[in-house]
Amino acid sequence: MADDQDANRWPAVEFERRPWQVSDTYTSRAQHRLHEGDYRACVPARIADADLALPAQLLAESEDALREIVRFDQYASVQLGSSVELAPMSSILLRTESSASSQIENLTVGARALALAELGSPTTRNASIVSANVRAMEAALEVGTSIDASSVLAMHYSPMEPSGDPQPGRWRTQQVWIGGSDIGPRRAAFVPPHHDRLPDALDDLFDFAARSDLPVIPHVAVTHAQFETLHPFTDGNGRTGRAIIHGMLRRAEVTERVTVPLSAGLLTDTAGYFESLDAYRRGDVEAIVRSLTAATFHAVTGGRRLVDDLAAARAEYIERIVARSDSVVWKLVDALVAQPVVDNAYVRSTFGVSEIAAQRAIDKLAEADILHQTSKGRRNRVWQAGEILAALDRFADGIRRVR
């Protein structure tokens, strides 16, 4: 019996001793003694050809979760009614997922601040970071059929380059660690592999990600957990790792049109999510599969409510408008779902119209009580769609309440 259990167990990480020398001359002698010397760095298990044996019930639950993602993808499309209307909803769900992913790292931002950041208007630092995270999600969905070195580097570059990261889109060339002190890794909660081990470990990971013989949710969950174990960047590993989840779902052709806010599902139990990563490193692969499976059900439930709220707001807007069928006003209403804060320059560049035509469309929506000016004066004026911003903030507040 014990042999069978061992055969089904996922390979656990091992550890090796590495020397650490404290380089900060301003550190006290006591801190020097505490942090200098050997530390234990992870030696990742090879998983490219590992057998992924899971209980039948967990496999059934993960298949149910997969079907929920497919249904959500279809549901959002039906609610929108046409491919023309689909683009803005897909975009707003992408931004919702990016915001939720950032919240896992305690980067919170309101819907209006994020919309301003997307517009290029002055806003908060957090909003700028989350806006850059949207680019990572976009990169993840554009990778096509491969999760490999080039696609993952692109996912990392997108959010990290605008934030001033010194190594955007480049693998780390130094030791990193999680928890403990900035002085050194000896007191850390977990120390990822030494950077000398990264090339082989990443090749192994990408070979595993390319497999086609595994059920989708477990395959995605393990790829994500192994990536987080390797921690191949000096910063931005969490956001990139969650972007990989969406890239793999698109690769598996599970999602075709919209983005499921899976990070919002993970936010329902962040402690459990981080514990499942620790368990994975100990050889318990079931924990991370259960975590992603549960997150899927939460994400779909919240995502459906958000889709309904946004679709209802858009339908109400349409009822208020009186305009010619070829007016840019109708296009602007659709765009508000994805970009609920606008200015004249945005309308001009998005729809290729003149400054006068852009302002005429904005004024028309303002007269219909759809847009409200939030800036003072005649220069750099900004308008917002309050009902859409309220729906997005309700979604975010719902996530924070269940944590």
Side-chain angles (χ1 to χ4, degrees):
M1 185 67 175
D3 290 341
D4 291 340
Q5 290 177 340
D6 290 341
N8 291 338
R9 189 166 179 81
W10 192 254
V13 304
E14 298 179 354
F15 292 90
E16 64 179 352
R17 291 194 172 278
R18 291 269 184 170
W20 184 260
Q21 184 174 355
V22 177
S23 59
D24 186 357
T25 57
Y26 296 101
T27 301
S28 69
R29 285 179 293 178
Q31 290 297 313
H32 254 277
R33 288 193 296 270
L34 190 63
H35 292 283
E36 189 139 310
D38 288 351
Y39 66 94
R40 297 173 72 245
C42 159
V43 178
R46 299 191 66 82
I47 66 168
D49 301 314
D51 292 329
L52 182 54
L54 296 168
Q57 183 176 351
L58 179 55
L59 283 172
E61 290 174 0
S62 71
E63 286 302 306
D64 286 344
L66 190 67
R67 282 190 286 273
E68 285 299 303
I69 294 176
V70 174
R71 290 192 190 104
F72 177 75
D73 194 68
Q74 296 169 343
Y75 179 78
S77 302
V78 169
Q79 283 292 89
L80 290 166
S82 78
S83 59
V84 173
E85 298 159 7
L86 179 61
M89 182 62 77
S90 179
S91 180
I92 202 64
L93 287 167
L94 178 70
R95 296 180 192 188
T96 300
E97 167 60 11
S98 302
S99 295
S101 176
S102 300
Q103 282 187 50
I104 292 176
E105 300 173 48
N106 295 315
L107 290 171
T108 58
V109 60
R112 182 176 185 275
L114 178 56
L116 281 169
E118 291 289 287
L119 197 63
S121 297
T123 186
T124 66
R125 179 178 181 273
N126 275 9
S128 298
I129 294 173
V130 175
S131 177
N133 196 23
V134 176
R135 306 285 83 77
M137 291 293 175
E138 289 175 337
L141 299 179
E142 291 171 0
V143 298
T145 60
S146 64
I147 297 294
D148 53 23
S150 61
S151 63
V152 172
L153 290 173
M155 293 180 207
H156 184 261
Y157 182 88
S158 295
M160 303 310 292
E161 193 277 335
S163 66
D165 185 85
Q167 293 184 308
R170 286 185 286 171
W171 308 122
R172 61 178 169 88
T173 56
Q174 62 192 65
Q175 182 69 72
V176 297
W177 55 93
I178 301 170
S181 167
D182 291 340
I183 300 174
R186 292 193 69 198
R187 315 290 289 184
F190 175 71
V191 182
H194 190 270
H195 46 281
D196 289 349
R197 291 190 176 273
L198 276 182
D200 288 342
L202 286 166
D203 287 344
D204 178 72
L205 170 63
F206 296 137
D207 285 344
F208 178 83
R211 287 173 61 172
S212 58
D213 62 328
L214 299 172
V216 174
I217 295 294
H219 189 200
V220 172
V222 171
T223 302
H224 171 74
Q226 185 75 356
F227 175 86
E228 297 300 335
T229 296
L230 299 185
H231 234 65
F233 300 111
T234 54
D235 193 16
N237 292 283
R239 280 166 278 169
T240 306
R242 288 184 288 277
I244 286 173
I245 291 175
H246 292 282
M248 291 193 69
L249 290 174
R250 185 62 59 91
R251 172 185 179 272
E253 299 182 346
V254 176
T255 56
E256 296 180 1
R257 294 169 286 270
V258 300
T259 304
V260 181
L262 282 172
S263 293
L266 291 172
L267 272 166
T268 61
D269 183 14
T270 49
Y273 164 58
F274 289 126
E275 170 53 33
S276 71
L277 290 175
D278 289 337
Y280 171 82
R281 293 159 189 154
R282 297 192 298 267
D284 176 10
V285 73
E286 293 180 27
I288 189 62
V289 177
R290 292 187 191 282
S291 182
L292 187 59
T293 298
T296 298
F297 289 111
H298 286 296
V300 168
T301 299
R304 280 175 179 264
R305 284 197 298 266
L306 178 60
V307 166
D308 289 344
D309 286 349
L310 293 174
R314 179 183 173 278
E316 183 179 339
Y317 289 166
I318 290 174
E319 287 293 319
R320 300 181 197 172
I321 298 172
V322 177
R324 298 194 316 271
S325 60
D326 61 347
S327 172
V328 73
V329 169
W330 301 107
K331 296 179 181 180
L332 180 54
V333 165
D334 284 342
L336 290 178
V337 177
Q339 183 56 43
V341 178
V342 300
D343 58 12
N344 188 286
Y346 168 82
V347 179
R348 292 200 315 270
S349 63
T350 301
F351 305 113
V353 297
S354 67
E355 182 177 353
I356 293 174
Q359 193 57 51
R360 188 181 297 125
I362 292 172
D363 291 342
K364 194 78 174 177
L365 294 187
E367 291 168 7
D369 202 30
I370 294 171
L371 288 178
H372 300 90
Q373 185 175 338
T374 60
S375 58
K376 297 179 180 179
R378 299 289 299 176
R379 294 173 59 83
N380 302 318
R381 290 187 294 171
V382 174
W383 291 261
Q384 68 182 39
E387 289 89 347
I388 293 175
L389 290 174
L392 294 169
D393 283 333
R394 280 196 302 273
F395 177 81
D397 289 342
I399 294 171
R400 287 189 282 267
R401 281 198 299 271
V402 299
R403 291 176 69 179

